[in-house]
Amino acid sequence: MKKTFLIIVSVLLVGLLTVGCSTSNSDNNNNNNNNNNNNQEELREFTLEELAQYNGKDGNPAYVAVNGKVYDVTDVPAWRGGSHQGEVVAGIDATTFISRSPHGTSVLNGLKIVGTLK
């Protein structure tokens, strides 16, 4: 009976440790993705001409610049095909457009920052 109890407790402890470690690693990976935005060494500098190539068309990623930061909007459903609401296209400095939008810059939270605008 004691042996069975010890085996069950051991299995539960190992299970808890495994879940705790995988959750911790997952959280660290999420934090690393968000913190990548803060590592200026990894960020590319884009000119407006270079940014224009990232228009979301013909298999290209969709990037927009806002307040000097370049965001990847490729996987954002509202930017499907490189266009947002049929009015704003990817590959531009969208600072003016987003400042006039009803949602403002809050929609940028969580998006990957891929660079800065020169």
Side-chain angles (χ1 to χ4, degrees), residues 49-67:
E49 293 78 24
E50 291 168 333
L51 182 61
Q53 297 172 21
Y54 296 88
N55 60 7
K57 298 187 185 315
D58 300 322
N60 291 319
Y63 294 172
V64 293
V66 177
N67 295 324

Side-chain angles (χ1 to χ4, degrees), residues 24-97:
S24 187
N25 285 338
S26 174
D27 290 344
N28 286 340
N29 287 339
N30 288 337
N31 287 337
N32 286 341
N33 288 340
N34 292 336
N35 290 336
N36 277 345
N37 298 341
N38 297 326
N39 190 348
Q40 296 297 319
E41 293 175 353
E42 294 181 18
L43 297 180
R44 175 179 170 186
E45 280 192 332
F46 291 87
T47 64
L48 283 173
E49 293 78 24
E50 291 168 333
L51 182 61
Q53 297 172 21
Y54 296 88
N55 60 7
K57 298 187 185 315
D58 300 322
N60 291 319
Y63 294 172
V64 293
V66 177
N67 295 324
K69 295 179 182 175
V70 178
Y71 295 88
D72 184 346
V73 295
T74 305
D75 296 326
V76 177
W79 282 94
R80 186 161 290 138
S83 174
H84 180 61
Q85 303 293 324
E87 296 178 20
V88 183
V89 293
I92 64 165
D93 182 350
T95 302
T96 302
F97 295 105

Side-chain angles (χ1 to χ4, degrees), residues 93-107:
D93 182 350
T95 302
T96 302
F97 295 105
I98 202 163
S99 68
R100 295 179 183 163
S101 72
H103 51 65
T105 58
S106 65
V107 296

